[in-house]
Amino acid sequence: MNQYHTGNKIIDETKQGEALVLEQMHGGKKLYIESYGCQMNFADSEVVASILGENGFQTTRNLEEADLVLLNTCSIRDKAEQTVRKRLKAFHQVKNARPEMKIGVLGCMAERVKDKLLDEEKLVDLVVGPDAYRDLPNLIEEVESGQKAVNVILSKEETYADVNPVRLGHNKVTAFVSITRGCDNMCTFCVVPFTRGRERSRDPQTIVDECLGLYNNGYREVTLLGQNVDSYLWYGGGLKKDFDKASEVARASAVYFADLLKMVAEAVPNMRIRFSTSNPQDMHDDVLYAIADYPNICNYIHLPVQSGSSKILKTMNRGHTREEYFDLISRIHKIIPDCALSHDMIIGFPGETEEDHQDTLSLMDHVKYNYGFMFKYSERPNTFAARKLEDNVPDEIKTRRLTEVINKQGGHSLVRNQSRIGMVEEVLIEGNSKRSDEHWSGRNTQNTMVVFPKSGDENPGDFVRVKIEDCTSATLLGTLQS
Ligand code: SAH
Ligand code: F3S
């Protein structure tokens, strides 16, 4: 048995989000992992740490002492890839001084840039795609014998259902649990279907068991993860697109996302449940009723829209119009009073006119999201948009529109937070606030960060009641209620 000591620190704020340095200690071989990009990548790094942990590796926070350095990469925008390249070059410098150190690239960049990284630039020894992590021990052996090793094969079945992730997150209170892999939606701007393959769902019993295990280890919140969680469909294994070919018995006993949510909510009634990401075209009312019916499913939906213009939504292949999105928003508010919403928005997609941009701003005014993630369009190789559409919005216009969208969101976030002043919120304490050890920080059910002074009797993992007295656009500030 290996013994793990885990922890992490934030090393870099990228436009992609936070990059985490994951660490474990042990007496044998030492592994250093950094993750970039989406939550799924962070969850995958925990799977990798588990697989390698079984094979004698433990992680370290200290790059200098690592035998193996792995970078879990993101391809979603060009900037994400540039960040990873910079990091790889820095690792290479360390390797120059210590040639026995091996460097590997995991995740979404693996397939796209394997030849370049391995052969042309000779930056890495090992390239492993998101479905090939079980092969890591063999690949590392190849590398140790002096060869370069690659496996970027995408799978029809792999969900790592039986791997018990080594938790590397920044607290012992909240955790991610993967429920689907890949995506079949083929949004025309998006590289994910190419880098992560076709969509498949994980056995629901293994999801429930993982959540129970987390609860028993003191965790009090799980986020069920998938590129498109609403599309979850378990019928005994296999690709979503092959569902129609399954036996009648398998189809009749299929488990959909709302069923899964209820299974998890009932299995861990004292644990908060969140999920990400929802796709408007696949979100159905049964999911909304599940949220409304179960107090432990949080009143919060991350519901990317990408644009407020029906014309742009159509060229993005999002599968819904502006009006259909509004209809979904009003059903959400009707079924789940007090449900918070966040979004992703792409600014400057090919063909976006000033009128389309105004549609985006007016959609935001209509919804008044609690917060959002806003990005300039970045053309990605192989996507439909890259092949067929001209990236024709000049960068300075993208920048101006992005600023307008960000400013609008800032105003809405502030108004949403101000509306909580005077309320008493249930907060799950995650840890010290970033600014002061005298304050706790945690989230309310709507996923808004709440900061309040410690009283001395409470601990991370406790649910407490906090009276909201003030706010910024990002944070609610309050005091503990007895
Ligand atoms: N369904 C996924 C979406 C992954 S990509 C999920 O789980 O979050 C995350 C966000 O990145 C997308 O919602 C989109 O807003 C943005 N994005 C994707 N491709 C992009 C591109 N080519 N340029 C700019 N932003 C992009
Ligand atoms: Fe990408 Fe659209 Fe899937 S944004 S991950 S193709 S839902």
Side-chain angles (χ1 to χ4, degrees):
M1 282 292 282
N2 294 310
Q3 278 210 323
Y4 297 117
H5 163 80
T6 66
N8 68 58
K9 63 177 179 174
I10 293 165
I11 55 138
D12 187 15
E13 282 282 331
T14 70
K15 286 274 186 285
Q16 296 304 298
E18 295 165 338
L20 293 184
V21 178
L22 311 173
E23 69 138 27
Q24 282 179 283
M25 301 285 300
H26 94 137
K29 286 178 280 184
K30 293 203 169 90
L31 160 68
Y32 174 98
I33 310 185
E34 267 181 38
S35 306
Y36 290 82
C38 65
Q39 295 165 330
M40 187 72 89
N41 258 7
F42 289 84
D44 279 2
S45 290
E46 298 186 334
V47 165
V48 167
S50 173
I51 291 169
L52 290 181
E54 297 282 308
N55 285 272
F57 275 92
Q58 292 183 339
T59 62
T60 172
R61 164 191 304 253
N62 183 0
L63 176 65
E64 311 290 327
E65 66 171 17
D67 300 294
L68 176 64
V69 174
L70 296 177
L71 207 63
N72 200 346
T73 62
C74 173
S75 280
I76 201 77
R77 283 168 291 277
D78 185 54
K79 235 181 203 154
E81 290 200 358
Q82 296 313 327
T83 308
V84 164
R85 286 184 162 278
K86 266 194 219 136
R87 222 34 213 145
L88 278 177
K89 286 186 180 144
F91 291 165
H92 208 65
Q93 296 278 313
V94 180
K95 188 179 162 85
N96 281 342
R98 265 196 329 114
E100 69 280 8
M101 182 179 108
K102 306 295 179 203
I103 302 176
V105 158
L106 312 177
C108 288
M109 274 173 77
E111 159 66 23
R112 260 186 41 61
V113 291
K114 59 179 188 301
D115 298 333
K116 206 157 181 230
L117 294 176
L118 279 167
D119 302 330
E120 276 176 47
E121 301 176 61
K122 302 205 181 331
L123 278 177
V124 301
D125 307 286
L126 176 74
V127 176
V128 189
D131 286 345
Y133 297 145
R134 285 183 206 269
D135 200 21
L136 266 165
N138 301 325
L139 296 167
I140 290 166
E141 237 172 71
E142 277 179 42
V143 166
E144 280 170 354
S145 71
Q147 297 160 268
K148 304 265 174 192
V150 188
N151 185 345
V152 292
I153 296 169
L154 292 170
S155 157
K156 287 186 179 173
E157 289 99 23
E158 184 61 272
T159 59
Y160 302 109
D162 57 322
V163 177
N164 191 16
V166 169
R167 299 295 162 187
L168 301 159
H170 63 285
N171 63 45
K172 298 272 167 245
V173 179
T174 64
F176 297 126
V177 173
S178 294
I179 65 164
T180 67
R181 296 186 75 81
C183 186
D184 285 353
N185 270 12
M186 300 303 274
C187 300
T188 57
F189 52 81
C190 186
V191 80
V192 169
F194 301 92
T195 59
R196 287 189 163 268
R198 303 305 299 256
E199 189 176 311
R200 63 223 104 111
S201 296
R202 175 178 173 190
D203 182 337
Q205 195 53 52
T206 67
I207 296 170
V208 166
D209 290 346
E210 192 173 324
C211 293
L212 272 169
L214 284 165
Y215 185 78
N216 291 334
N217 279 312
Y219 286 81
R220 291 295 174 262
E221 182 180 299
V222 282
T223 303
L224 306 179
L225 284 185
Q227 301 297 340
N228 177 7
V229 284
D230 305 283
S231 163
Y232 177 89
L233 175 60
W234 172 256
Y235 62 97
L239 294 179
K240 163 120 184 198
K241 73 176 179 63
D242 294 335
F243 178 62
D244 291 344
K245 294 182 215 144
S247 72
E248 217 167 289
V249 180
R251 280 185 283 133
S253 54
V255 178
Y256 291 84
F257 183 52
D259 306 322
L260 176 73
L261 272 179
K262 291 181 208 166
M263 282 171 75
V264 176
E266 284 168 22
V268 281
N270 297 319
M271 186 135 162
R272 272 186 180 172
I273 295 147
R274 301 189 187 278
F275 51 88
S276 187
T277 295
S278 290
N279 194 297
Q281 66 170 309
D282 295 303
M283 179 159 229
H284 299 297
D285 289 3
D286 54 354
V287 169
L288 305 181
Y289 286 113
I291 302 173
D293 288 348
Y294 288 84
N296 57 330
I297 306 180
C298 291
N299 288 358
Y300 164 65
I301 303 172
H302 181 53
L303 195 64
V305 63
Q306 319 295 3
S307 169
S309 151
S310 288
K311 179 195 95 190
I312 297 291
L313 288 170
K314 189 154 196 279
T315 36
M316 286 177 163
N317 192 32
R318 290 292 289 178
H320 65 85
T321 61
R322 170 187 173 94
E323 289 69 32
E324 285 163 342
Y325 188 80
F326 284 157
D327 192 51
L328 174 59
I329 297 290
S330 64
R331 293 200 317 274
I332 291 172
H333 288 314
K334 206 166 113 209
I335 298 170
I336 318 163
D338 215 15
C339 186
L341 293 166
S342 60
H343 67 94
D344 290 346
M345 204 72 86
I346 295 181
I347 282 74
F349 186 74
E352 185 190 78
T353 62
E354 209 49 42
E355 200 185 334
D356 297 320
H357 172 58
Q358 290 305 323
D359 282 349
T360 294
L361 294 172
S362 70
L363 177 137
M364 293 174 74
D365 278 331
H366 179 96
V367 181
K368 291 199 176 53
Y369 295 98
N370 293 69
Y371 59 93
F373 302 94
M374 295 147 280
F375 315 100
K376 273 193 217 176
Y377 171 66
S378 163
E379 187 176 275
R380 307 312 293 134
N382 296 327
T383 57
F384 178 90
R387 287 184 287 113
K388 303 281 187 201
L389 307 172
E390 193 192 340
D391 184 6
N392 59 1
V393 179
D395 193 56
E396 63 273 15
I397 295 188
K398 283 184 187 163
T399 304
R400 192 254 303 155
R401 289 182 187 163
L402 177 64
T403 307
E404 288 174 13
V405 167
I406 289 174
N407 288 344
K408 182 157 295 282
Q409 185 52 55
H412 291 159
S413 298
L414 185 61
V415 168
R416 286 284 181 201
N417 282 355
Q418 281 167 340
S419 75
R420 311 304 298 185
I421 292 176
M423 293 187 181
V424 176
E425 308 270 338
E426 184 186 70
V427 176
L428 171 60
I429 303 177
E430 292 179 18
N432 288 341
S433 102
K434 259 193 223 150
R435 299 229 175 111
S436 133
D437 291 353
E438 319 267 285
H439 289 72
W440 292 120
S441 78
R443 287 164 202 275
N444 63 5
T445 182
Q446 282 95 1
N447 209 32
T448 309
M449 189 59 78
V450 182
V451 171
F452 55 95
K454 295 179 178 177
S455 87
D457 295 334
E458 55 300 316
N459 290 300
D462 289 350
F463 289 97
V464 291
R465 286 156 51 78
V466 177
K467 177 145 191 209
I468 306 305
E469 285 153 352
D470 200 357
C471 71
T472 66
S473 61
T475 312
L476 298 173
L477 307 160
T479 49
L480 266 171
Q481 301 290 287
S482 46

